Amino acid sequence: MIRGSAVPRTGPLVTIDPSAHVHPSAQIYGRVTLAAAVSVWPNAVIRAEMHEVVIGERSNIQDFAMIHIGSGTGTFVGRDCSITHRVTLHGCTIGDNVLVGIGATIMDGCVIGANSIIAGGSFLKENTVIPPNSVVAGVPAVLKASRDCGAANRFNAWLYTQNVEAYARGDHRCWDEVDLDAAAARFGITRRA
C-alpha cells in the first residue's frame, strides 16, 4: 500500500476537463467526471467506487465538501451549482443553478430541483424530492418557500469561476476588485447591502 505524500490525489478513471480547476489538496477517486470550468477547492473529497459522480459545467465544490455515491445510485450535480463548505452529497441528484448551504447533508435518492437553495445545516433524508424553485431548511429539511433562486445561484457560481482565474494569477482577493453590484446586475439581480 502506498502511504503519505506518495498517494496520488486522483485515480485513473477521473476525467477532468482542461478548463476545470482542482486544488492540489483535493482527492478524487473512481469514475468521476468534472465538466468545463468546474472548480474543486481545498480538501474536498470525491469518491465513486461504483456508479459515478458527475459535476456539471461551472459548478464549484468548496472546501471540505464530501461527495460520494449511494448504494444504488451515483451522484450528479448540475450546471452552475455551488456545493459549499463541509457539504456532504451521498448518492443524490442536484439540478442546475442550485446552492447547497454550508454543512448541509443530502442523502441517497434525493433529487433537488433546479434553481433551489438548501439552507446551511439542513439534512435531507433518503429519497426526498425537492421541486424546482424551492428553499428548504431544517433537520429533516422541509420546504420553507417557493421562489426562483436561479439567477442568484448562477451569480454565486460565476464568482467562483472568477476566483479560479484570480488564484491562477496569484490574486486571492479578486472579489475586492470586482464591482459586485454591476456583476450581479448582469445576472438580473440586485445585491443587498
Side-chain angles (χ1 to χ4, degrees), residues 28-58:
I28 307 172
Y29 304 107
R31 190 169 307 283
V32 176
T33 301
L34 304 181
V38 163
S39 59
V40 180
W41 292 88
N43 299 302
V45 175
I46 305 173
R47 293 183 19 233
E49 293 85 358
M50 61 179 183
H51 310 301
E52 67 179 325
V53 172
V54 177
I55 310 297
E57 293 88 355
R58 296 173 304 281

Side-chain angles (χ1 to χ4, degrees), residues 64-88:
F64 295 99
M66 197 287 293
I67 300 175
H68 195 220
I69 46 85
S71 62
T73 183
T75 299
F76 304 92
V77 175
R79 296 182 305 272
D80 298 300
C81 293
S82 292
I83 309 304
T84 66
H85 316 291
R86 294 187 300 101
V87 163
T88 298

Side-chain angles (χ1 to χ4, degrees), residues 3 12 15 22 26 31 35 44 46 50 55-56 58 64 69 118 126 128 130 143 149 152 163 165-166 172:
R3 296 185 186 274
T15 302
V22 177
R31 190 169 307 283
I46 305 173
M50 61 179 183
I55 310 297
R58 296 173 304 281
F64 295 99
I69 46 85
I118 307 302
E126 288 83 355
T128 300
I130 302 299
L143 181 67
C149 301
N163 240 7
E165 292 175 18
H172 303 139

Side-chain angles (χ1 to χ4, degrees), residues 110-151:
C110 289
V111 177
I112 309 304
N115 309 315
S116 294
I117 291 178
I118 307 302
S122 296
F123 180 85
L124 280 78
K125 60 187 180 180
E126 288 83 355
N127 302 311
T128 300
V129 176
I130 302 299
N133 306 313
S134 295
V135 177
V136 300
V139 179
V142 296
L143 181 67
K144 297 291 186 178
S146 296
R147 70 172 176 263
D148 184 346
C149 301

